[in-house]
Amino acid sequence: MSVPTTISGLAWTGQSRVVIERVSPELDGGKFPIKAIPGDVIAIEADIFADGHDYLTAILLYKHADDATWTESGMALLGNDRWGVSFIAEKQGRYTYTFEAWIDHLASWQHEVHLKVADGQRITSELLAGANYVDGMVIRAGGKIVAGTKAKGKKKEGLVEEPADVKVLREMAALFRDENRYDEAVSVAESDQFTFYAARYPERQHPTRYQHELGVEVDRARAGFSTWYCLFPRSASREEAGGASAKHGTFKDVETLLPRISGMGFDVLYLPPIHPIGTAHRKGKNNSVICQPGEPGVPYGIGSSEGGHDAIHPELGTVDDFKHLIAIAANYGMEVAMDLAIQCSPDHPWAKEHPEWFKKRPDGTIQYAENPPKKYQDIYPVYFETEDWQNLWEELKRVLLVWASWGVRIVRVDNPHTKPFSFWEWVIAEVKKEFPDMLFLAEAFTKPKVMQELAKGGFAHSYTYYTWRNTKNELEEYMNELTKGEMRYYFRPNFWPTTHDINPYSLQGGHEPQFLIRYFMAATLSSNYGIYGPSFELMEHIPFPNKEEYLNSEKYEIRHWDWDKTNKLTYLITLVNRIRHENAALQTTNNLTFCAVNDDAIMAYLKTSGSNRLLIVVNTDAYSRRAGVVQVPIWQLGIGHEQPYTVHDLLTGAYYTWQGEQNYVELDPYVLPMHLFRIEM
């Protein structure tokens, strides 16, 4: 039987004794990178151990894609063979990291010396072994060992002087070999001086290198902190409604709204599809299969004789008009996000030029989209199992690159969970090769593992179940899942109280406090959130009977909004967005700690970033005044039990002096169902 040279497919030598396992974070054996933004601290842990009782040294190796060499950082033993280390993701792009560990013979030797000296043993032989170790340090320090010599090296005429450390180490080796200076040698062997040089010039024999090189995808800052506003540009006109003959909004109309939207604190303007809309099987008001003359159709029925996904609906304007909108939005600190819906009207050019990209019924007709019992007769889904899948993928990539050439750097993807994971991994990576600033939001309200796989595969943001988490217990459980488990490494939640597709049952009563609560929690629990524009601001709530959808939905008709109207909710939105921009603690999601409250409706959570410390208290009962005692984790804040501290409500401007952990709160939903306290000393 031959001696193995590989184990589990890895190159292996019997001289390597260290085991590295249970690395965290590590996604699916290193298949996917974790996510970060510039400046994030990447904290990493691993189980690292070996046979016997020798000491170990473990290091992290990491580098950016632009770096030619690895940076090394020593790991610290946390206890029970668990080691930890961290590094800062300083810039955008892909970082790679892995580990090496080896038996630390120098530290093991010094530890052995400590034990034997403490036991009163004479360690002459051990000192000779130590001298040999120091000889190795001399070489690693830049010196040379002359065979058979015990004394110090001599400077020779014309030779470059050796480094200063070499002289010290030569003297140390000579001391360890000098039996007449035994006590001095023992003292040096046990000294911090030996420990210092052993760490500076370590003996790295037979290291074990971790089997995976793991990734960190560092997106730009807006991936970590953003505030979205959705509007249909065709409803942007300020003219009064006139039914089917109402004036169609344009990109120029949207530009006139930018000061208002930016003034409310939004930095991403998300537009549903802006492409030509087909006429075949066009849907009418409230999803009627009968379309009346003049009705505009559904923007998701993409494509007509005027073009497809790389064309602009002519009533909105031209490509140049859209580019101008992007430029003007940038002047207001905003980006324009487009909506990628991979589906076609029967009139789309692809349906004629590439019928093989669509699934056909037995009678030869193309299968329209269905989500039983819903039917979408105006839409053909793209068939990703087509034999011509490679050309299909390339065409979709081309569309995204066209959008990028217009200036788009954020894409919201409609129903990505109905397309292959492999496609998303490929196309996102391909687009980011040319446009590394590109961010993708996955609009996937589906099974948890599917949503998670999409996030791992490259989506910078993900829609969530927040829309349907209403009670204190539901919210705390869900937030802990997002921020305390493995999902915190790769799943960036983007919270939406409503969308243009979803009118949740919790808001169908039109109860103002409920709108305030749902908005406020979205904006303070998650660093990324969005609202369905004027509909949410104006608390539109009338449902289509027995559905979580809107009656008279904007998807099927042009709506005209009162863009000048303000109310309590618009005031709160503007105020909270300003607070979000002024307080770093609200600009990240995972810095969340729930606080105990002796009331089943009052939820309290702490968010901190350095010296910025916020305590947020919300009454989730939109119909009743609730009171309770919040247990503030003052130990986490460095506040003593007898030390008074100030909480400043950034919503009302009020100041309160608190002391200790237990503090009383009372919230009336008809006045203001929340506090946003900044803890000040």
Side-chain angles (χ1 to χ4, degrees):
M1 179 178 177
S2 61
V3 176
T5 56
T6 62
I7 290 182
S8 300
L10 300 174
W12 176 80
T13 169
Q15 296 170 295
S16 300
R17 295 167 49 198
V18 180
V19 175
I20 304 174
E21 62 183 25
R22 291 187 63 244
V23 173
S24 176
E26 178 181 318
L27 303 182
D28 297 356
K31 178 181 178 182
F32 299 108
I34 63 172
K35 289 184 171 68
I37 60 172
D40 276 354
V41 176
I42 310 301
I44 305 163
E45 295 183 7
D47 286 354
I48 303 176
F49 55 92
D51 61 279
H53 304 287
D54 288 312
Y55 279 44
L56 308 181
T57 290
I59 61 170
L60 170 75
L61 300 105
Y62 67 95
K63 63 179 179 179
H64 189 271
D66 296 338
D67 298 335
T69 59
W70 295 94
T71 298
E72 296 184 359
S73 181
M75 301 183 72
L77 181 61
L78 306 177
N80 195 26
D81 293 322
R82 191 71 174 165
W83 294 69
V85 68
S86 63
F87 72 95
I88 298 175
E90 295 181 342
K91 59 183 180 180
Q92 187 178 328
R94 177 67 67 95
Y95 282 84
T96 303
Y97 65 94
T98 191
F99 311 91
E100 279 191 1
W102 57 90
I103 302 297
D104 190 334
H105 293 292
L106 304 180
S108 299
W109 174 84
Q110 189 178 44
H111 179 64
E112 179 184 347
V113 166
H114 286 318
L115 295 177
K116 290 184 176 181
V117 170
D119 190 50
Q121 299 180 30
R122 188 170 181 83
I123 60 167
T124 304
S125 177
E126 287 78 4
L127 288 172
L128 292 176
N132 291 334
Y133 285 133
V134 177
D135 287 344
M137 292 189 219
V138 169
I139 295 173
R140 293 189 291 276
K144 295 182 179 180
I145 296 295
V146 180
T149 61
K150 296 183 181 179
K152 312 167 199 168
K154 296 181 180 179
K155 182 179 177 184
K156 296 183 179 180
E157 192 74 28
L159 295 181
V160 177
E161 186 173 354
E162 293 183 315
D165 284 353
V166 171
K167 179 181 179 182
V168 175
L169 291 169
R170 288 193 193 283
E171 291 174 350
M172 186 183 295
L175 175 64
F176 288 173
R177 291 186 171 104
D178 190 343
E179 295 182 5
N180 297 320
R181 302 168 66 192
Y182 175 81
D183 290 341
E184 183 183 353
V186 170
S187 177
V188 171
E190 292 195 280
S191 69
D192 290 340
Q193 181 190 38
F194 179 87
T195 304
F196 170 79
Y197 283 111
R200 175 172 281 190
Y201 304 111
E203 183 180 82
R204 194 181 297 193
Q205 287 188 353
H206 315 303
T208 296
R209 191 176 181 110
Y210 189 53
Q211 60 183 313
H212 300 303
E213 291 185 355
L214 309 175
V216 183
E217 184 68 23
V218 184
D219 289 310
R220 58 193 175 99
R222 188 149 283 167
F225 177 58
S226 62
T227 313
W228 294 53
Y229 189 95
C230 170
L231 70 81
F232 284 74
R234 71 185 188 183
S235 296
S237 174
R238 291 179 179 269
E239 292 188 12
E240 293 184 3
S245 61
K247 187 178 186 307
H248 198 290
T250 66
F251 294 138
K252 296 295 184 185
D253 292 322
V254 175
E255 288 183 12
T256 68
L257 301 175
L258 293 178
R260 177 185 184 276
I261 298 168
S262 173
M264 293 180 70
F266 293 95
D267 50 37
V268 177
L269 177 63
Y270 153 52
L271 308 179
I274 55 175
H275 314 295
I277 299 172
T279 57
H281 304 290
R282 177 178 283 192
K283 292 293 189 75
K285 184 174 180 176
N286 287 315
N287 202 23
S288 171
V289 294
I290 299 175
C291 181
Q292 300 298 328
E295 288 189 316
V298 181
Y300 291 90
I302 298 169
S304 73
S305 60
E306 295 161 322
H309 286 74
D310 54 0
I312 298 293
H313 193 299
E315 291 190 74
L316 293 174
T318 65
V319 170
D320 286 340
D321 292 333
F322 182 57
K323 291 179 179 178
H324 192 265
L325 170 62
I326 291 172
I328 297 300
N331 291 339
Y332 286 98
M334 301 178 69
E335 291 188 61
V336 175
M338 286 183 69
D339 196 337
L340 177 62
I342 303 179
Q343 58 199 36
C344 302
S345 157
D347 302 323
H348 196 292
W350 291 346
K352 298 176 178 61
E353 298 167 7
H354 297 281
E356 68 277 8
W357 292 355
F358 304 91
K359 189 173 184 178
K360 293 184 178 179
R361 295 188 181 98
D363 64 4
T365 60
I366 294 177
Q367 173 69 56
Y368 59 75
E370 292 186 85
N371 184 14
K374 297 179 181 179
K375 295 185 178 183
Y376 304 93
Q377 296 91 337
D378 57 336
I379 292 172
Y380 288 164
V382 171
Y383 184 51
F384 275 84
E385 293 182 53
T386 174
E387 294 291 331
D388 195 37
W389 64 271
Q390 290 173 303
N391 286 324
L392 170 62
W393 285 26
E394 288 289 349
E395 173 64 4
L396 292 169
K397 170 187 169 182
R398 186 192 67 81
V399 166
L400 287 168
L401 295 179
V402 167
W403 294 3
S405 73
W406 295 345
V408 173
R409 293 296 181 273
I410 303 179
V411 176
R412 181 262 200 190
V413 178
D414 189 68
N415 287 333
H417 54 288
T418 60
K419 289 82 183 173
F421 301 120
S422 56
F423 166 72
W424 293 121
E425 291 175 38
W426 175 82
V427 79
I428 291 173
E430 285 291 300
V431 171
K432 292 186 74 169
K433 285 179 184 177
E434 297 189 42
F435 298 93
D437 283 351
M438 191 70 81
L439 304 176
F440 291 84
L441 165 62
E443 187 259 353
F445 298 107
T446 185
K447 296 179 291 185
K449 287 183 174 58
V450 174
M451 295 169 67
Q452 292 162 23
E453 188 76 5
L454 290 167
K456 292 176 186 177
F459 281 92
H461 289 178
S462 301
Y463 277 72
T464 70
Y465 300 139
Y466 170 73
T467 311
W468 300 277
R469 299 295 184 265
N470 295 293
T471 69
K472 173 182 175 179
N473 288 340
E474 289 173 341
L475 287 160
E476 290 187 353
E477 181 181 8
Y478 188 48
M479 289 306 303
N480 284 331
E481 179 185 355
L482 291 174
T483 65
K484 306 305 179 187
E486 188 182 62
M487 290 178 71
R488 72 185 186 274
Y489 296 122
Y490 65 87
F491 192 97
R492 288 199 192 99
N494 197 320
F495 278 10
W496 291 69
T498 67
T499 73
H500 56 276
D501 294 308
I502 303 167
N503 178 17
Y505 292 125
S506 63
L507 294 176
Q508 289 183 6
H511 188 52
E512 181 184 70
Q514 186 77 312
F515 275 82
L516 299 176
I517 292 166
R518 296 302 297 170
Y519 163 75
F520 180 77
M521 290 192 299
T524 55
L525 285 169
S526 176
S527 59
N528 295 296
Y529 88 91
I531 65 169
Y532 168 33
S535 170
F536 185 79
E537 287 183 54
L538 301 178
M539 294 179 286
E540 184 177 57
H541 59 277
I542 305 300
F544 193 92
N546 303 314
K547 292 185 178 182
E548 283 190 304
E549 299 177 17
Y550 291 98
L551 187 66
N552 302 326
S553 170
E554 194 172 4
K555 290 191 297 182
Y556 308 107
E557 60 182 286
I558 297 174
R559 297 287 300 274
H560 286 261
W561 306 100
D562 185 351
W563 294 102
D564 298 318
K565 186 174 182 178
T566 59
N567 55 31
K568 191 172 184 178
L569 179 56
T570 58
Y571 177 81
L572 180 68
I573 291 170
T574 304
L575 177 59
V576 169
N577 280 341
R578 177 174 60 79
I579 293 170
R580 277 166 50 92
H581 281 276
E582 294 174 350
N583 291 269
L586 292 175
Q587 296 171 18
T588 188
T589 300
N590 295 333
N591 59 338
L592 179 71
T593 301
F594 283 108
C595 307
V597 186
N598 63 344
D599 184 279
D600 61 5
I602 297 179
M603 188 169 71
Y605 41 102
L606 185 72
K607 302 198 82 172
T608 65
S609 178
S611 61
N612 187 224
R613 303 173 296 179
L614 303 179
L615 176 66
I616 298 151
V617 187
V618 187
N619 177 6
T620 63
D621 181 350
Y623 296 89
S624 305
R625 177 195 297 264
R626 305 294 286 248
V629 174
V630 178
Q631 184 175 344
V632 183
I634 57 175
W635 57 270
Q636 185 176 331
L637 303 171
I639 299 174
H641 284 279
E642 305 302 322
Q643 181 181 3
Y645 55 97
T646 299
V647 292
H648 174 199
D649 192 334
L650 301 180
L651 299 177
T652 65
Y655 289 83
Y656 304 90
T657 300
W658 285 4
Q659 183 174 328
E661 290 183 322
Q662 308 291 334
N663 292 277
Y664 178 82
V665 294
E666 183 176 321
L667 290 165
D668 185 342
Y670 296 96
V671 179
L672 198 62
M674 68 280 290
H675 289 301
L676 205 171
F677 292 127
R678 186 164 60 206
I679 298 173
E680 302 170 355
M681 301 303 295

